């Protein structure tokens, strides 16, 4: 079997959903399981709904709900067979109104918020169900909350792989065996007790890979609106090229630092089993896209150790200078305990004998974080930083790469350098204003001029 996941822009209107139906029909003999995201921008609207509820803006709530309902009804009206989606859609909107109206003026509980944020996928999957049925395909709509079992960490729940494998075999495998095309939602799950959860923003990719791993797929296809992973962000480097292939590690680095194409955890469940991920463009289904696997498909790429150059603005650099760290132990544990207590993830990390530099993204916790770090040493904070990552498999074993990287960065200043032992990336922190020019110079150095 295969898993075909379609992102928000691949279901954003009737035209996109028709293209989806054609793509699925062409893969019917491969036993596809279809996973869909919410229509483009819908999850953002749901986030704003939660805010309207909290602020007691009942009128804004009603207006946004009406706009969302209208948009889904309009897509249904444009689809052949789309009217089949209306009863389920209308019922889902009625139920949501019933839940949200009495909550106006208060903060939603984490479980209520997850229930709300996951509605977009439930709606979109009803539209796609109608379109696939309208195209004569034997679709079977499945509620993902029956299969994607998670812990109860609302907002960003952790999937429970063994439970998911069992549920996928109980719920999805019989459908596949019966010649049906299971269609389900990305992003949403439920605890073992049935309370709704979500996998974090962009989590539909993760759903696809969880199902692919659970059912031993031959590949997982991620359908999006670009041709694949690229050598750099094309908005900054117009001559950037699509990568024909990348390794799991490279894809994870790229997803973490910059490229929004793939959820960072997507490769996790698949890498162990060696199941390839293919990134494909639903608007140009004939483009071969990027294939991600354990090794780069060497026939496709002969060009050197660098796969791509990414950057991520909006980093905050935190330095802790602590002379007492010299020769002491236990210091790093104390330091990281502070980050753990405030639930602030660290992106880049480097240390010297007497200081530690880290970057964080979350500004909301910064003040409290700095206050609690202060007893450990002298803390300085620099905002407006960017993380640049040169990503490539086997970089460490290629002499001279670092010199070329630092040569290309000049005359800008590098504030922190970090190279992991995985040797998949050379990462450094620069001032955000310098970022785009640095990425352009690096791209020219490693990929040549246009
Ligand atoms: N719809 C969800 C989001 O916007 C999940 C996804 O699209 O992957 O984050
Ligand atoms: Mg996405």
């Amino acid at each position: 079997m295969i898993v075909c996941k379609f992102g928000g822009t691949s279901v954003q209107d009737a035209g996109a959903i028709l293209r989806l139906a054609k793509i699925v029909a062409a893969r019917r003999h491969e036993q596809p399981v279809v996973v869909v995201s919410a229509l483009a921008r819908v999850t953002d609207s749901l986030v704003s709904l939660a805010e309207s509820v909290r602020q007691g803006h009942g009128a804004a709530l009603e207006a946004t709900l009406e706009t969302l309902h209208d948009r889904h009804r309009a897509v249904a009206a444009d689809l052949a067979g789309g009217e089949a989606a209306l009863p389920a859609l209308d019922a889902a909107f009625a139920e949501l109104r019933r839940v949200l109206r009495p909550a106006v003026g208060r903060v939603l509980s984490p479980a209520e918020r997850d229930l709300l944020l996951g509605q977009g996928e439930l709606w979109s999957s009803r539209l796609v169900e109608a379109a696939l049925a309208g195209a004569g395909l034997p679709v079977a709509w499945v509620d993902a909350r029956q299969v994607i079992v998670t812990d109860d960490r609302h907002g960003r729940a952790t999937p429970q792989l063994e439970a998911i494998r069992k549920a996928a075999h109980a719920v999805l495998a019989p459908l596949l065996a019966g010649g049906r095309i299971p269609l389900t939602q990305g992003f949403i799950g439920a605890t073992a007790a049935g309370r709704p959860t979500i996998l974090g923003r962009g989590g539909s990719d993760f759903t696809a890979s969880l199902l692919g791993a659970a059912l031993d797929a031959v590949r997982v296809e991620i359908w999006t609106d670009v041709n694949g992973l690229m050598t750099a962000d094309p908005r900054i480097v117009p001559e950037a090229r699509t990568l024909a292939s990348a390794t799991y590690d490279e894809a994870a680095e790229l997803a973490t630092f910059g490229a929004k194409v793939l959820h960072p955890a997507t490769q996790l469940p698949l890498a162990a089993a060696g199941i390839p991920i293919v990134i494909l463009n639903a608007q140009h289904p004939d483009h071969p896209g990027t294939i991600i696997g354990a090794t780069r498909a060497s026939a496709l790429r002969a060009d050197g150790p660098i796969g791509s150059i990414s950057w991520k603005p909006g980093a905050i650099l935190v330095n802790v200078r602590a002379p007492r760290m010299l020769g002491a132990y236990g210091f790093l544990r104390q330091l990281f305990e502070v980050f753990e207590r405030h639930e602030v993830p660290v992106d880049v990390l480097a240390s010297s004998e007497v200081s530690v530099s880290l970057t964080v993204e979350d500004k909301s916790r910064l003040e409290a974080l700095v206050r609690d770090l202060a007893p450990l040493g002298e803390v300085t904070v620099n905002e407006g930083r960017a993380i640049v990552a040169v990503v490539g498999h086997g970089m460490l074993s290629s002499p001279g790469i670092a010199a070329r990287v630092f040569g290309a960065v000049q005359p800008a200043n590098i504030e922190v350098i970090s190279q992991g032992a995985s040797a998949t990336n050379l990462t450094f922190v620069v001032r955000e204003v310098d970022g785009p020019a640095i990425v352009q110079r690096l791209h020219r150095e490693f990929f040549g001029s246009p």
Side-chain angles (χ1 to χ4, degrees):
M1 57 82 59
I2 60 173
V3 178
C4 303
K5 179 262 171 174
F6 294 87
T9 52
S10 309
V11 291
Q12 63 185 347
D13 52 31
I17 294 177
L18 281 179
R19 284 194 296 274
L20 174 159
K22 285 210 184 94
I23 291 167
V24 172
R27 284 160 172 72
R28 200 177 153 181
H29 61 287
E30 294 191 277
Q31 296 194 294
V33 168
V34 179
V35 176
V36 293
S37 290
L39 309 199
R41 299 178 306 281
V42 164
T43 312
D44 291 333
S45 298
L46 294 170
V47 171
S48 79
L49 272 185
E51 201 39 32
S52 300
V53 170
R54 188 182 68 83
Q55 296 181 346
H57 293 162
L61 170 76
E62 298 296 336
T64 307
L65 279 170
E66 200 49 40
T67 307
L68 286 168
H69 199 169
D70 283 348
R71 179 170 170 203
H72 288 79
R73 272 195 293 239
V75 175
D78 285 347
L79 282 170
E83 62 287 344
L86 292 177
L89 276 177
D90 292 345
F93 272 95
E95 170 66 8
L96 188 61
R97 286 188 170 92
R98 194 188 63 73
V99 171
L100 291 184
R101 277 180 185 146
V104 170
R106 71 169 169 85
V107 179
L108 294 174
S109 73
E112 287 173 327
R113 191 183 155 86
D114 283 6
L115 180 71
L116 169 61
L117 263 50
Q119 293 299 307
E121 274 69 13
L122 291 164
W123 301 331
S124 68
S125 63
R126 287 303 185 185
L127 293 169
V128 173
E129 176 192 28
L132 293 179
L137 294 168
V139 58
W141 187 92
V142 173
D143 188 330
R145 293 168 296 192
Q146 279 186 284
V147 181
I148 302 296
V149 185
T150 71
D151 68 2
D152 62 358
R153 196 188 150 96
H154 288 286
R156 201 190 180 92
T158 302
Q160 312 289 297
L161 299 182
E162 255 328 292
I164 291 172
R165 178 176 285 272
K166 270 203 200 110
H169 279 274
V171 177
L172 300 174
L175 293 171
L176 288 170
R180 309 283 299 276
I181 301 178
L183 158 69
T184 194
Q185 308 78 32
F187 184 49
I188 63 173
T191 64
R195 288 165 73 81
T197 54
I198 54 175
L199 298 178
R201 292 304 304 271
S204 296
D205 300 334
F206 199 14
T207 305
S209 69
L210 290 165
L211 295 180
L215 294 168
D216 301 309
V218 297
R219 68 174 184 283
V220 171
E221 296 181 347
I222 304 286
W223 289 89
T224 178
D225 55 1
V226 293
N227 287 339
L229 298 177
M230 300 194 73
T231 51
D233 182 344
R235 286 166 304 186
I236 293 173
V237 183
E239 67 270 25
R241 303 195 293 264
T242 306
L243 293 170
S245 68
T247 66
Y248 294 119
D249 289 348
E250 288 173 340
E253 294 287 351
L254 285 178
T256 310
F257 296 124
K260 285 266 178 283
V261 179
L262 207 59
H263 185 280
T266 311
Q267 44 85 35
L268 279 178
L270 300 174
I275 299 169
I277 307 167
V278 193
I279 316 258
L280 292 156
N281 188 343
Q283 281 149 28
H284 301 283
D286 295 330
H287 192 284
T290 302
I291 178 156
I292 300 164
T295 57
R296 281 195 206 151
S298 44
L300 300 176
R301 287 181 49 85
D303 47 5
I306 303 300
S308 113
I309 294 144
S310 68
W311 87 300
K312 185 173 167 190
I316 303 165
L317 179 61
V318 179
N319 290 302
V320 184
R321 231 186 83 78
R324 76 178 176 85
M325 187 175 139
L326 200 69
Y329 53 84
F331 175 81
L332 288 174
R333 183 184 50 73
Q334 289 173 33
L335 182 92
F336 285 120
E337 255 171 23
V338 178
F339 286 85
E340 188 181 347
R341 199 169 341 119
H342 292 283
E343 298 189 356
V344 176
V346 171
D347 283 330
V348 175
L349 162 73
S351 75
S352 76
E353 207 67 72
V354 291
S355 71
V356 181
S357 306
L358 323 100
T359 68
V360 300
E361 226 184 354
D362 187 353
K363 216 176 153 155
S364 66
R365 300 288 176 83
L366 195 59
E367 240 187 76
L369 188 76
V370 169
R371 187 193 58 224
D372 288 357
L373 286 172
L376 295 175
E378 180 194 325
V379 183
T380 52
V381 173
N382 296 299
E383 296 187 28
R385 297 309 193 253
I387 299 165
V388 177
V390 179
V391 179
H393 202 73
M395 261 181 5
L396 207 59
S397 53
S398 311
I401 294 285
R404 286 173 68 192
V405 169
F406 297 132
V409 170
Q410 278 185 52
N413 187 35
I414 293 182
E415 299 185 337
V416 178
I417 302 169
S418 148
Q419 172 156 37
S422 74
T424 329
N425 66 323
L426 181 60
T427 301
F428 46 90
V429 178
V430 297
R431 291 191 312 159
E432 196 173 284
V433 288
D434 294 333
I438 291 174
V439 173
Q440 284 157 3
R441 287 198 298 272
L442 283 165
H443 198 272
R444 224 173 294 134
E445 169 68 26
F446 289 102
F447 299 99
S449 330

